[in-house]
Amino acid sequence: MPECLFCGIVAGEVPATKVLEGDRTVAFRDVNPQAPTHVLVIPRDHYPDAAALAAVGGLLDEVVTQAHQVAVKEGIDDSGYRMVFNTGREGGQTVGHVHLHLLGGRPMTWPPG
Ligand code: DGP
C-alpha cells in the first residue's frame, strides 16, 4: 500500500468511484461530497500542491481540462461550477497529493468558509 492515499487510488489499491481517466490524470468522486457534483481531479504522478504541478509542462492544463470534461459529463458546464485547489494547512489541504476540487450542481456562495 503506498503511503499516499491518492497514489493508492491511482494504483487501484484504494477503492474510488472513478469518473474519467486520462493518460496522466484521474477524476474520482470525493468521499465526503460538499455539492451534488464533487469530483477530485489529480495527476497520476505525485506532486504535493498546485505550484509543484504547475512546474510540470502541460500537466496543470490537463487537470483543468479534465475537470471541465467532468463538468460536461455531469451536465453542469452551462450552469457553472467551481474549481478549488486547497493549499497548505491554512488553505484547508488535508491530502498531500495535489487535487482539484470540482464542485457544482447547486449555487455556490462567496466568501468560502
Ligand atoms: P483537501 O481537504 O482539499 O485536501 O481535500 C481532500 C478531499 O479528499 C476531501 O474533500 C475528502 C477527500 N477524501 C479523503 N479521503 C478520501 C478517500 O479515501 N476517497 C475519496 N474518494 N476521497 C477522499
Side-chain angles (χ1 to χ4, degrees):
M1 177 76 67
E3 260 179 51
C4 169
L5 177 64
F6 287 176
C7 286
I9 288 177
V10 170
E13 293 164 2
V14 174
T17 305
K18 292 179 181 164
V19 180
L20 279 180
E21 295 198 61
D23 289 345
R24 298 205 288 173
T25 59
V26 181
F28 56 94
R29 297 199 188 281
D30 194 293
V31 78
N32 182 23
Q34 302 300 311
T37 292
H38 188 173
V39 171
L40 303 176
V41 184
I42 66 170
R44 290 184 184 275
D45 290 341
H46 184 100
Y47 300 97
D49 57 28
L53 179 63
V56 183
L59 193 48
L60 176 61
D61 313 36
E62 288 184 34
V63 167
V64 170
T65 298
Q66 187 169 72
H68 179 71
Q69 289 167 347
V70 171
V72 170
K73 194 172 176 192
E74 298 273 308
I76 59 170
D77 54 313
D78 275 348
S79 53
Y81 52 84
R82 184 169 290 173
M83 296 184 185
V84 175
F85 285 103
N86 292 331
T87 305
R89 182 171 45 83
E90 291 204 352
Q93 185 175 6
T94 59
V95 177
H97 182 133
V98 63
H99 46 284
L100 180 157
H101 293 260
L102 171 72
L103 297 141
R106 66 166 170 82
M108 295 291 146
T109 58
W110 195 264

